[in-house]
């Protein structure tokens, strides 16, 4: 893959950031006993930026606490967790604090999860330290010094989230970059983006090939398709940034895999799950498959996964998701990815959680969901 890493640092237009923020509800989660100043400062920052701060002190609901905070969390779009020294009161039946319950609910429902940890907390409770260890499986936490520092960090993060929302990552053949705009008309897709010189050169070479139209795969968070490169227009602007408008034609949904069969007591979807567990977690496929082990191949490009594993945490999750989506959905092994989480790299390990929907077979029957979670270890190149 040719990955445009420079796109990760792009800043969105201030006007568009303001529009995006106006539509966001930011849920503030923490043990209230030792984060009162932090919660107030963060709420003010969120409101000053134009978003809606959602915090327990101002719910104003005639309901019990658990019902109030979970319903408000479900209606929010961004989660901000603040961890100082206190874990919070354990709640039945599992003994988890409200903060941990909120964090877990936010991650499971696909919210944008952001967690901030007080840098100087000598009396941090053991339960909170253990919770923090669990958080760091999937979230790169950020330290803060005081309430003012925390508010600034939250503000910068919200602006970064706006930039991500307006510039989604896509994969076009071997090229991975952020798009400023995607106009999907079904049989045609128009992509406008600012790309690196290398990607600009490669796309031009494909466009100018006089002998054939290049067929490409297209993958975004929500769609996989095959297409042809119909055209590419380049605009050079001040500062040297290449703006490119790519026209994709003959856009078609993936044809799927004609080899979706059952064997040895396993359905085709069982085999896909077994293949994913072997690919990511090294879990051997059952010996009963014998020479039919290849039927458990999930269709994901292993070389691209290895490359994506080594990417900075800032955009590794987005790129890995594209590679997985292209493989699973493109080969007809999944209807869609429901959720995907990739933790920060710790040595040669990343924590990975994936939930997908099986391919739909019958119109009137809802396809089942499947999920895997575990430690993805970096495999050496062949």
């Amino acid at each position: 893959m040719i990955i445009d890493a420079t796109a990760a640092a792009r800043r969105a237009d201030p006007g568009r950031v303001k529009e995006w923020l106006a539509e966001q509800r930011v849920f503030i989660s923490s043990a209230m006993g030792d984060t009162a100043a932090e919660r107030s400062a963060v709420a003010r920052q969120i409101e000053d930026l134009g978003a809606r701060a959602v915090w327990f002190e101002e719910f104003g609901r005639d309901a019990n606490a658990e019902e109030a905070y979970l319903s408000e969390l479900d209606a929010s779009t961004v989660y901000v967790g603040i961890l100082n020294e206190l874990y919070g009161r354990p709640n039945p039946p599992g003994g988890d604090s409200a903060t941990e319950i909120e964090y877990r609910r936010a991650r499971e429902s696909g919210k944008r999860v952001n967690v901030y940890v007080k840098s100087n907390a000598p009396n941090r409770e053991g339960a909170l330290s253990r919770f923090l260890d669990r958080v760091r499986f999937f979230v790169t936490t950020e330290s803060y010094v005081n309430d003012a520092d925390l508010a600034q960090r939250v503000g910068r993060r919200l602006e970064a989230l706006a930039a991500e929302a307006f510039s989604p990552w896509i994969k076009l053949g071997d090229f991975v970059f952020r798009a400023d705009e995607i106009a999907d008309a079904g049989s045609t897709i128009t992509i406008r983006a600012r790309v690196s010189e290398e990607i600009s050169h490669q796309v031009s070479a494909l466009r100018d090939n006089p002998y054939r139209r290049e067929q490409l795969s297209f993958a975004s968070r929500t769609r996989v398709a095959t297409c042809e490169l119909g055209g590419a227009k380049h605009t050079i602007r001040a500062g040297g940034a290449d703006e490119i408008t790519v026209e994709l034609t003959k856009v078609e949904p993936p044809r799927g895999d004609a080899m979706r069969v059952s064997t040895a007591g396993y359905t085709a979807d069982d085999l896909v799950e077994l293949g994913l567990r072997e690919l990511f977690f090294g879990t051997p496929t059952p010996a009963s498959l014998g020479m039919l082990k290849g039927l458990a191949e999930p269709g994901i490009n292993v070389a691209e996964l290895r490359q994506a594993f080594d990417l900075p945490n800032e955009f590794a999750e987005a790129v890995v998701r594209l590679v997985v989506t292209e493989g699973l959905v493109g080969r007809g092994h999944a209807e869609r990815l429901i959720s995907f989480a990739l933790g920060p790299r710790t040595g040669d390990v990343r924590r990975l959680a994936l939930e997908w929907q099986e391919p739909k077979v019958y119109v009137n029957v809802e396809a089942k969901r499947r999920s895997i979670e575990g430690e993805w270890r970096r495999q050496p190149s062949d």
Side-chain angles (χ1 to χ4, degrees):
M1 292 184 294
I2 301 176
I3 302 170
D4 186 358
T6 63
R10 183 177 302 157
R11 299 186 66 177
D13 175 81
R16 299 189 73 192
V17 168
K18 204 166 186 178
E19 292 176 7
W20 182 85
L21 287 168
E23 298 178 353
Q24 306 309 308
R25 302 179 86 249
V26 184
F27 188 91
I28 303 172
S29 175
S30 71
M32 292 188 285
D34 65 345
T35 58
E38 288 95 326
R39 293 171 68 88
S40 295
V42 168
R44 286 195 302 271
Q45 177 73 299
I46 292 169
E47 297 283 349
D48 287 347
L49 288 172
R52 168 76 185 279
V54 182
W55 50 324
F56 189 78
E57 293 88 332
E58 296 191 358
F59 283 177
R61 294 175 58 92
D62 184 15
N64 63 48
E66 182 176 355
E67 178 187 342
Y69 65 65
L70 288 182
S71 61
E72 292 289 349
L73 172 59
D74 289 342
S76 299
T77 53
V78 179
Y79 170 93
V80 171
I82 307 168
L83 307 182
N84 188 357
E85 292 186 332
L86 299 181
Y87 176 66
R89 178 176 60 85
N91 291 282
D96 294 333
S97 69
T99 306
E100 181 157 6
I101 293 171
E102 292 163 2
Y103 160 77
R104 192 163 56 241
R105 180 76 157 250
R107 199 170 70 78
E108 290 172 351
S109 58
K111 311 290 183 194
R112 301 308 303 262
V113 173
N114 311 272
V115 178
Y116 300 85
V117 183
K118 184 70 178 290
S119 57
N120 183 23
N123 299 313
R124 180 167 293 146
E125 293 178 341
L128 181 59
S129 295
R130 290 188 289 274
F131 170 44
L132 181 54
D133 288 340
R134 291 189 289 275
V135 168
R136 285 173 171 157
F137 276 145
F138 290 108
V139 178
T140 302
T141 60
E142 190 169 346
S143 297
Y144 72 93
V145 177
N146 53 38
D147 56 312
D149 177 50
L150 173 61
Q152 289 183 349
R153 292 176 183 275
V154 171
R156 287 197 297 267
R157 180 57 182 157
L158 288 175
E159 291 176 348
L161 289 177
E164 291 177 13
F166 287 121
S167 300
W169 286 93
I170 65 169
K171 186 173 186 289
L172 182 62
D174 293 330
F175 313 129
V176 179
F177 55 94
R178 271 185 165 168
D180 292 320
E181 184 179 78
I182 303 172
D184 188 343
S187 61
T188 62
I189 297 176
T190 302
I191 303 166
R192 185 173 59 82
R194 287 163 288 170
V195 297
S196 66
E197 184 177 347
E198 178 63 20
I199 289 181
S200 177
H201 169 75
Q202 295 281 356
V203 171
S204 296
L206 292 178
R207 178 199 62 190
D208 298 337
N209 186 336
Y211 302 107
R212 65 187 179 111
R213 288 292 183 183
E214 188 76 17
Q215 188 171 63
L216 300 168
S217 63
F218 168 85
S220 67
R221 284 177 60 92
T222 58
R223 189 175 185 196
V224 176
T226 59
C227 53
E228 287 187 1
L229 178 62
K233 176 183 176 182
H234 296 266
T235 304
I236 308 299
R237 300 193 182 280
D242 279 14
E243 183 176 287
I244 187 170
T245 301
V246 177
E247 299 286 347
L248 303 179
T249 59
K250 298 184 180 180
V251 178
E252 298 179 352
R255 292 185 174 87
D257 191 343
M259 294 297 292
R260 282 183 58 78
V261 297
S262 304
T263 187
Y266 297 101
T267 67
D269 293 299
D270 291 336
L271 293 171
V272 169
E273 181 174 337
L274 290 172
L276 286 170
R277 291 186 180 277
E278 182 176 49
L279 175 63
F280 286 110
F281 310 139
T283 306
T285 52
S288 59
L289 291 179
M291 296 182 66
L292 298 177
K293 176 181 176 181
L295 295 175
E297 166 58 49
I300 299 172
N301 189 305
V302 177
E304 291 182 347
L305 275 184
R306 289 195 184 107
Q307 182 181 356
F309 184 98
D310 292 330
L311 293 173
N313 296 331
E314 184 180 7
F315 54 100
E317 182 177 69
V319 176
V320 173
R321 177 170 183 147
L322 289 175
V323 173
V324 172
T325 300
E326 183 180 51
L328 279 183
V329 179
R331 290 285 297 273
H333 294 323
E335 183 75 18
R336 64 188 177 105
L337 261 64
I338 297 170
S339 64
F340 181 83
L342 184 68
R345 180 177 177 179
T346 305
D348 284 339
V349 176
R350 288 186 183 272
R351 192 82 180 177
L352 178 142
L354 167 64
E355 183 179 9
W356 71 98
Q357 187 174 32
E358 295 177 356
K360 199 162 189 174
V361 179
Y362 304 106
V363 175
N364 60 341
V365 178
E366 185 68 17
K368 293 181 180 179
R369 295 183 174 195
R370 290 180 179 252
S371 63
I372 59 171
E373 180 174 331
E375 290 187 345
W376 175 24
R377 297 186 177 276
R378 185 184 188 282
Q379 300 298 316
S381 300
D382 294 334

